[in-house]
Amino acid sequence: MAQVELKDVSKRYGSVEVIRDLNLMVEAGSFTVLVGPSGCGKSTLLRMVAGLETISGGILEIAGTRANDLDPVARGVAMVFQNYALYPHMTVARNIGFALKIAGLDKAEVESRVREAADVLQIEHLLDRKPANLSGGQRQRVAIGRAIVRDPQVFLFDEPLSNLDAELRVSMRVELARLHQKLKATMLYVTHDQTEAMTLADKIVVMRDGRIEQTGTPEQLYSDPDNVFVAGFIGSPRMNFLSGEASQGLVHLAQGVTLPCPSTLSGPVSVGIRPEHMTPRGGRAHSLPVTIDMIEYLGGTRYLYGRLANETPVAIEARDNTGIRAGEQIDVTFDNHSVMLFDASGKRIRSAAPIPS
Ligand SMILES: Nc1ncnc2c1ncn2[C@@H]1O[C@H](COP(=O)(O)OP(=O)(O)OP(=O)(O)O)[C@@H](O)[C@H]1O
Ligand SMILES: [Mg+2]
């Protein structure tokens, strides 16, 4: 295992800058996940680490050594792609062992490494098959096997599970977590699925538009986001954002509802409340009327989706059977302590003193 460090790294295609002065430390042995919306530069970043893209500016270090101009093969990294990229005319065994054969390892050594990888991935019974005769999950395991046999210091995964159906994705997620524990290699993993990121990562890196918005453990990003973007991106259903107006130590929401805020704050603010911090409970002071459009029943919990009078969408988590039906208007309360405030630029306002309820 090795650490990977990017220092002021940028990537330009002509005049378009798709990665901007990015700084990131991927600790040795960590499972680091890059998330962000489509086009934010996740694959580009991974491909630069792999050596499949040139680096326009800054320094890439792998295991403490400058790697900007290192040949991809010399970097000690192996990449697994979304589309598997298996050779259709080769058996599973040959697909897995191909890179080793090219590297000039003798036949017995290749065979033994292929068996070992197949054992880890539980695909020994498939070694003589061609990729066409495998399921999606099996193909993905072959693609991972091809990376494992090279015994890389760093694994790079680019949305490896996004071609799989929902159920298989969940079980492959568990297998990847196990694989990481077993191999103890550094893993840098790209996904735009925040649930996948939350379950797999030691550390999540949230990207937007070629930049890092915030880095932290899943818990940190969930409970202490720096801005509206991260708060909205991490968590499902996403955080509710209500618009308010701050003046003289109070944020004024719709319907005469107010919240305490730092007295220095004034002007438009965004009030973030997670679905689990909203309670459908009628007839109280300090409540917001919400018209319910849809109820998602998930067994233990249910999510109520509705909107405020001004059409702001709202999601509410209910643990018990509330008896509420779609079409109803209900009063929703929330706990002041769990509210997050964001200024007009989207930056989180962290009050020095706790907000009184
Ligand atoms: N060869 C290229 N020339 C110009 N622009 C490019 C080129 N390759 C990628 N880009 C641009 O770089 C940006 C980042 O692309 P990238 O593939 O890294 O995004 P991504 O975060 O992986 O997105 P997705 O989630 O859709 O895979 C995009 O805006 C893309 O259009
Ligand atoms: Mg991509």
Side-chain angles (χ1 to χ4, degrees):
M1 62 180 174
Q3 70 179 39
V4 176
E5 190 168 9
L6 293 103
K7 297 176 179 168
D8 293 324
V9 165
S10 62
K11 175 68 186 177
R12 282 179 293 275
Y13 291 109
S15 61
V16 188
E17 192 166 43
V18 297
I19 299 287
R20 306 156 194 260
D21 295 333
L22 189 137
N23 289 284
L24 174 65
M25 165 66 106
V26 179
E27 275 98 14
S30 72
F31 202 127
T32 299
V33 177
L34 300 175
V35 292
S38 186
C40 72
K42 305 180 293 296
S43 297
T44 305
L45 191 68
L46 217 57
R47 292 170 61 82
M48 286 195 291
V49 175
L52 303 172
E53 283 299 344
T54 57
I55 295 169
S56 310
I59 297 170
L60 165 71
E61 287 182 0
I62 299 175
T65 308
R66 186 186 153 99
N68 288 46
D69 309 309
L70 264 190
D71 190 81
V73 183
R75 293 187 186 202
V77 304
M79 188 150 163
V80 178
F81 301 90
Q82 175 180 348
N83 60 8
Y84 321 137
L86 302 178
Y87 301 109
H89 58 287
M90 292 185 193
T91 61
V92 167
R94 283 189 61 209
N95 260 289
I96 296 177
F98 189 65
L100 301 180
K101 193 176 154 197
I102 295 295
L105 269 69
D106 69 57
K107 207 171 160 217
E109 174 71 16
V110 173
E111 264 174 32
S112 114
R113 286 225 221 161
V114 168
R115 292 235 156 254
E116 219 173 284
D119 176 45
V120 169
L121 297 162
Q122 298 173 348
I123 50 171
E124 295 125 303
H125 60 296
L126 303 174
L127 285 173
D128 296 327
R129 288 218 202 142
K130 298 268 176 69
N133 305 324
L134 299 176
S135 73
Q138 291 167 336
R139 269 179 224 161
Q140 190 50 278
R141 259 173 274 190
V142 177
I144 295 169
R146 214 166 34 173
I148 291 178
V149 288
R150 295 171 54 195
D151 194 18
Q153 305 216 57
V154 181
F155 283 87
L156 305 171
F157 292 97
D158 196 354
E159 312 228 19
L161 308 185
S162 52
N163 283 352
L164 306 179
D165 68 41
E167 202 175 326
L168 199 51
R169 220 157 44 214
V170 173
S171 64
M172 281 299 292
R173 231 187 255 160
V174 176
E175 283 184 39
L176 279 174
R178 247 186 238 137
L179 192 67
H180 177 239
Q181 280 161 14
K182 185 162 182 157
L183 302 177
K184 301 195 168 31
T186 310
M187 295 192 169
L188 185 54
Y189 187 103
V190 164
T191 179
H192 57 244
D193 179 340
Q194 64 93 27
T195 313
E196 207 167 286
M198 294 291 273
T199 45
L200 283 173
D202 303 323
K203 184 161 99 177
I204 299 182
V205 179
V206 183
M207 288 182 66
R208 175 168 66 155
D209 202 14
R211 289 198 177 87
I212 293 177
E213 289 284 321
Q214 193 176 353
T215 301
T217 64
E219 293 79 8
Q220 279 165 349
L221 296 189
Y222 188 80
S223 61
D224 197 18
D226 283 342
N227 54 50
V228 161
F229 182 78
V230 174
F233 199 82
I234 301 290
S236 172
R238 76 196 289 269
M239 183 182 270
N240 299 297
F241 295 105
L242 316 183
S243 46
E245 192 75 23
S247 71
Q248 297 176 336
L250 283 180
V251 174
H252 299 264
L253 287 167
Q255 312 293 326
V257 174
T258 58
L259 283 173
C261 72
S263 55
T264 47
L265 191 63
S266 73
V269 294
S270 194
V271 176
I273 313 171
R274 294 221 180 262
E276 68 268 30
H277 296 138
M278 288 195 143
T279 315
R281 197 185 291 146
R284 290 255 197 125
H286 197 85
S287 63
L288 292 166
V290 174
T291 306
I292 300 300
D293 295 318
M294 193 190 90
I295 296 170
E296 189 179 25
Y297 178 61
L298 297 176
T301 46
R302 58 196 78 206
Y303 293 110
L304 317 178
Y305 295 95
R307 64 209 135 77
L308 300 176
N310 65 4
E311 294 296 315
T312 302
V314 171
I316 304 148
E317 182 178 324
R319 298 226 151 255
D320 312 311
N321 184 3
T322 53
I324 297 163
R325 295 182 189 285
E328 256 179 72
Q329 188 181 320
I330 62 168
D331 287 322
V332 173
T333 55
F334 55 88
D335 178 5
N336 280 355
H337 291 285
S338 48
V339 164
M340 294 183 197
L341 295 178
F342 303 91
D343 69 16
S345 74
K347 198 169 164 290
R348 172 94 177 278
I349 303 157
R350 291 185 170 89
S351 46
I355 297 174
S357 46

